[in-house]
Amino acid sequence: MIKTVDQTTVAEIFSINNDKIYRIPKYQREYTWGINDWDALFNDITDNDYGYFLGSYICVNNGSLNGTILEVIDGQQRFSTLMLLLTALYDKLSEHKAELDDDDRNDLANLRSELANKRQSFIANGQKKTEYKQRLFLQKQNMNDEDFSYILYDKGIITDQKAKPLNFGNRRIAKAYRHFGKLIEDEVVEIRNENHNITEVGALFSIVRKFETAVLVGIEVDTNKDAYMLFESLNHRGVPLSALDLIKNTLIAQAEDASDADNSYEKWKHILNCVGQDDYSGQERFFRQYYNAFREELNAPYPKTDKRYYLGYLATRTTLLDIYEKMIKDNYKRLLDDLSEKAERYSVIVNNSDEVYTYTEALQDLGRIAGAPSYILLLYLMSNQTKLNLEDSDLNAIIRALITFFVRRNVTDVPNTRKLTQLFMDIIAEVKMLQGNDIVQVVHDRLKIISAPDSVFEEKLRGPVYDENPEATRFMLCSIEAQNQTKEIYADLWARDNSKKYVWTIEHIFPEGENIPASWVQMIADGDAALAKQYRLDYVHTIGNLTITGYNQNLSNMSFDQKRDRKSKDKTKEIGYKNGLYLNKDVVNQSKWTVDKIRNRTDVLVKILMEMYKW
């Protein structure tokens, strides 16, 4: 599994005495570190003593001669950043070549040899020349490698000519390089302010030594699977390595052997686009659910062994890579085609499709109530809709049953989350031989049997439901409001702002903060501060004390009448409880807010919810 483990300095990793070449797999995800990461790395090293520990990296020996070409499977963000930083230092020092003595020139040459492999000198046109080749090759995403190669050539580090890529300056590699230049300049000024006797060259070399002596633990393994198992047990500062990255690397490597890499990569991108390009957890969930939904069919082509399933019993985070590597090596084209077809159905399920169905609205609600574990069932049903004789109305009924199930489950925590995958796999096994409405009935009945009874659901609804599950509480309140909205008074309760946060949020009528305002102590407990604190503990998070508002920060700890009557600055818009929402109809006419009012409103809302989410 592990070939070598070495604690090495940055200078030793890129030593002039070895000819190792490091490659980040070309279809690895792009360089993602930003200004906060750049600053953190730079400051961590410059602010600490020599030998600062930077973490670890994992390389896979790809079987090249003497093992000189290593694929950087984890740590690529840090590797790329260190190389950019050292390149910026080389450039700053090169500006002072005329000031360097012999020792300094030797140190500068050594720095160049850390950034590029120095090849044997040769005679060309009667002159002795030396080649310098790129030592670290970045991934191809977003032109990372082209941009980096151009910087190395432009700064005189490598000898291979590289043209300036179009729009070079607007991409992350160029921005990182420029940012390090500024950080280095500022650090030189700070060093010289502390030590007036040091020259600018001396300050630059002191920074170089800080980075060259920084320590990393390098781990070399044989396979991607070994790398992933290692990564699961290590805590890294870099961008987490997903199992999907390694699955993709295995797939592209297999496709390259068949001269089909580019076509396969386009299909891979199509799959990820369908399930959510920027949602890694959602992508990983799709790959798990795909296998678990179609486990019987996917294992059918393989020989029977002492294990029930040749590929694996269940796709989990730890088994995912092993399962997919087997399928890829057996027939990657068949797998890609099937994944692509299923991903297109999945895009509808996760509301990432432009197609609209009678059940689209229900799917949106299922996602909002955190019903993702049930996507495994919907993926199977929708992929086999014709075969199972399911109408769109049948699917809509199933999704509505799932919404009821997840509202009750998220409020009561019954059944346990760990049981959900097996629950939906068992339902799949049961409905395979059924048709149409029989499937709808089985799904409904199985969900009802495993759910908490009405008595438990109602008990939880009457308790501090917001404190126990704010997301489910918000969903229920928004659902009550949506059910009663009119054309005259309409609000997009699921709209988000530029920060992707909900515009409409939960508002506690009796404020939730520990420091209860004096006006509220007087209203809620006749001036008894201790009693007000007890009421806060008992009632503040109950559903009768909650509503939704698009102006939460404007209401905050105001007195009840201020919250009720609040208007916008120009006095043209009601932003308090008189905003016309159905949820506030029994609040706006109150002159004061008391514990009895909270209890009564809880009774009303619980009755509505019990009816909305009954079996």
Side-chain angles (χ1 to χ4, degrees):
M1 181 179 178
I2 298 176
K3 295 190 68 170
T4 60
V5 179
D6 294 309
Q7 180 174 303
T8 54
T9 64
V10 170
E12 289 168 338
I13 294 169
F14 305 115
S15 172
I16 62 174
N17 297 317
N18 71 54
D19 58 351
K20 285 185 177 179
I21 294 173
Y22 297 91
R23 294 182 184 273
I24 297 171
K26 65 181 181 180
Y27 292 107
Q28 185 64 279
R29 67 172 176 256
E30 69 186 70
Y31 181 68
T32 59
W33 273 20
I35 189 168
N36 292 333
D37 304 299
W38 304 331
D39 289 346
L41 180 72
F42 188 89
N43 294 333
D44 282 350
I45 294 178
T46 55
D47 291 347
N48 284 284
D49 294 332
Y50 294 100
Y52 181 79
F53 180 63
L54 277 175
S56 60
Y57 64 95
I58 301 173
C59 287
V60 174
N61 186 331
N62 69 356
S64 64
L65 183 63
N66 298 324
T68 56
I69 299 178
L70 300 174
E71 286 194 337
V72 184
I73 297 300
D74 178 58
Q76 66 267 29
Q77 303 287 331
R78 193 179 298 108
F79 256 55
S80 304
T81 305
L82 282 169
M83 274 295 198
L84 286 165
L85 205 159
L86 291 172
T87 301
L89 281 166
Y90 178 86
D91 185 32
K92 295 294 182 186
L93 282 164
S94 296
E95 294 174 1
H96 298 274
K97 277 187 178 180
E99 306 165 30
L100 304 182
D101 59 26
D102 289 342
D103 288 337
D104 289 338
R105 289 192 184 92
N106 187 55
D107 287 341
L108 184 61
N110 288 342
L111 178 56
R112 182 184 183 184
S113 294
E114 291 170 11
L115 295 166
N117 269 327
K118 181 179 179 181
R119 300 298 175 87
Q120 189 172 3
S121 300
F122 62 97
I123 304 298
N125 298 324
Q127 292 184 329
K128 186 177 180 180
K129 293 189 175 181
T130 301
E131 284 188 328
Y132 285 86
K133 298 289 187 180
Q134 197 164 332
R135 184 185 286 275
L136 172 66
F137 291 83
L138 304 193
Q139 57 274 66
K140 288 187 174 293
Q141 304 306 309
N142 203 23
M143 300 188 73
N144 288 166
D145 194 57
E146 289 94 330
D147 291 344
F148 181 57
S149 297
Y150 169 72
I151 291 173
L152 293 176
Y153 170 70
D154 186 57
K155 304 308 173 186
I157 294 169
I158 62 174
T159 51
D160 292 337
Q161 291 191 4
K162 303 290 181 181
K164 185 176 183 178
L166 190 65
N167 297 321
F168 162 78
N170 296 326
R171 288 187 292 274
R172 196 175 294 264
I173 293 294
K175 290 179 180 178
Y177 182 79
R178 290 197 300 267
H179 187 70
F180 284 130
K182 294 176 183 176
L183 291 177
I184 291 166
E185 290 171 0
D186 293 340
E187 183 67 13
V188 167
V189 171
E190 188 169 331
I191 291 172
R192 298 192 71 191
N193 285 338
E194 293 178 0
N195 183 357
H196 298 294
N197 296 322
I198 194 170
T199 65
E200 187 167 344
V201 168
L204 285 167
F205 271 119
S206 71
I207 300 172
V208 170
R209 283 190 286 275
K210 277 287 186 79
F211 284 92
E212 285 183 331
T213 57
V215 173
L216 292 122
V217 171
I219 306 172
E220 186 177 329
V221 298
D222 286 318
T223 67
N224 279 327
K225 179 183 176 182
D226 293 337
Y228 180 65
M229 296 301 290
L230 262 177
F231 180 83
E232 285 292 279
S233 64
L234 295 175
N235 181 26
H236 292 280
R237 290 181 52 186
V239 175
L241 182 70
S242 166
L244 298 191
D245 294 320
L246 296 172
I247 290 172
K248 175 185 62 181
N249 293 344
T250 303
L251 192 151
I252 299 302
Q254 193 81 2
E256 279 184 325
D257 291 342
S259 301
D260 188 37
D262 290 338
N263 178 56
S264 296
Y265 181 63
E266 289 304 314
K267 287 185 178 180
W268 177 268
K269 285 202 302 183
H270 173 68
I271 292 166
L272 296 192
N273 283 332
C274 284
V275 301
Q277 183 62 44
D278 299 320
D279 180 10
Y280 282 101
S281 62
Q283 292 169 1
E284 187 180 90
R285 182 184 63 226
F286 164 73
F287 282 85
R288 289 198 312 269
Q289 291 185 333
Y290 165 79
Y291 177 77
N292 293 334
F294 302 99
R295 180 177 61 179
E296 302 295 334
E297 294 87 340
L298 292 172
N299 278 276
Y302 297 99
K304 302 296 182 184
T305 65
D306 54 337
K307 295 181 179 180
R308 184 176 177 184
Y309 298 102
Y310 173 81
L311 295 171
Y313 180 75
L314 192 71
T316 64
R317 287 191 65 199
T318 54
T319 64
L320 192 65
L321 181 60
D322 187 48
I323 288 170
Y324 275 87
E325 281 190 335
K326 290 176 183 175
M327 291 192 288
I328 289 167
K329 290 174 181 177
D330 179 60
N331 193 326
Y332 77 90
K333 288 186 177 181
R334 179 179 64 196
L335 176 63
L336 267 179
D337 288 342
D338 196 44
L339 279 170
S340 182
E341 177 187 327
K342 300 301 192 299
E344 289 171 5
R345 301 312 306 155
Y346 205 78
S347 70
V348 176
I349 297 170
V350 297
N351 299 290
N352 196 39
S353 170
D354 294 331
E355 299 178 70
V356 178
Y357 299 89
T358 56
Y359 48 77
T360 296
E361 185 178 334
L363 284 171
Q364 291 172 344
D365 278 347
L366 183 61
R368 292 162 180 162
I369 193 56
S374 67
Y375 292 170
I376 177 177
L377 171 62
L378 293 178
L379 179 60
Y380 182 85
L381 297 178
M382 292 170 67
S383 298
N384 293 285
Q385 185 174 352
T386 302
K387 176 184 173 183
L388 298 172
N389 196 26
L390 284 168
E391 302 290 339
D392 283 0
S393 58
D394 295 326
L395 288 173
N396 189 61
I398 289 171
I399 297 166
R400 292 293 176 189
L402 288 167
I403 293 169
T404 294
F405 171 77
F406 277 101
V407 168
R408 298 172 72 106
R409 198 226 75 80
N410 293 345
V411 169
T412 64
D413 200 32
V414 177
N416 188 283
T417 305
R418 290 174 296 177
K419 296 181 179 179
L420 294 179
T421 295
Q422 192 60 54
L423 165 66
F424 292 115
M425 291 179 70
D426 290 344
I427 293 176
I428 289 173
E430 190 168 354
V431 302
K432 279 184 175 181
M433 304 306 294
L434 302 178
Q435 293 278 297
N437 190 61
D438 289 342
I439 295 175
V440 178
Q441 193 63 50
V442 165
V443 172
H444 176 278
D445 292 347
R446 294 299 170 268
L447 295 177
K448 179 179 179 181
I449 289 170
I450 201 168
S451 290
D454 285 350
S455 58
V456 174
F457 183 43
E458 182 173 352
E459 179 186 358
K460 287 290 187 178
L461 287 176
R462 292 186 176 280
V465 63
Y466 175 83
D467 190 41
E468 295 179 0
N469 199 316
E471 291 80 13
T473 303
R474 185 185 184 281
F475 176 84
M476 291 186 292
L477 289 172
C478 288
S479 296
I480 292 173
E481 185 61 38
Q483 196 175 65
N484 291 277
Q485 278 190 340
T486 64
K487 291 182 180 179
E488 291 75 21
I489 301 176
Y490 172 79
D492 183 359
L493 303 173
W494 299 99
R496 296 178 184 266
D497 60 19
N498 293 333
S499 301
K500 303 299 182 184
K501 295 180 180 178
Y502 286 123
V503 174
W504 290 84
T505 57
I506 294 284
E507 154 70 4
H508 291 74
I509 302 172
F510 174 24
E512 64 175 320
E514 290 187 14
N515 297 320
I516 305 172
S519 62
W520 277 99
V521 173
Q522 185 60 44
M523 177 179 288
I524 206 86
D526 293 326
D528 186 335
L531 183 59
K533 288 183 179 180
Q534 186 60 51
Y535 283 161
R536 174 187 165 274
L537 292 173
D538 293 341
Y539 295 104
V540 76
H541 292 311
T542 57
I543 203 160
N545 189 53
L546 306 174
T547 186
I548 50 177
T549 177
Y551 302 91
N552 199 301
Q553 71 275 19
N554 295 93
L555 303 179
S556 188
N557 285 346
M558 288 181 174
S559 64
F560 177 72
D561 57 339
Q562 287 176 313
K563 288 188 174 192
R564 182 193 61 205
D565 303 333
R566 184 75 168 168
K567 291 181 180 289
S568 58
K569 288 183 179 180
D570 60 7
K571 306 299 182 183
T572 62
K573 185 182 294 184
E574 298 282 357
I575 64 174
Y577 301 150
K578 292 181 178 179
N579 56 13
L581 293 186
Y582 171 83
L583 281 169
N584 295 331
K585 72 180 183 64
D586 51 359
V587 179
V588 293
N589 295 322
Q590 304 297 332
S591 59
K592 58 189 300 188
W593 196 246
T594 65
V595 167
D596 285 340
K597 301 286 175 62
I598 295 174
R599 289 171 179 158
N600 292 337
R601 188 164 177 267
T602 296
D603 289 340
V604 172
L605 294 180
V606 167
K607 184 177 180 180
I608 292 172
L609 291 170
M610 292 297 294
E611 180 64 24
M612 287 178 66
Y613 301 111
K614 67 180 180 181
W615 285 115

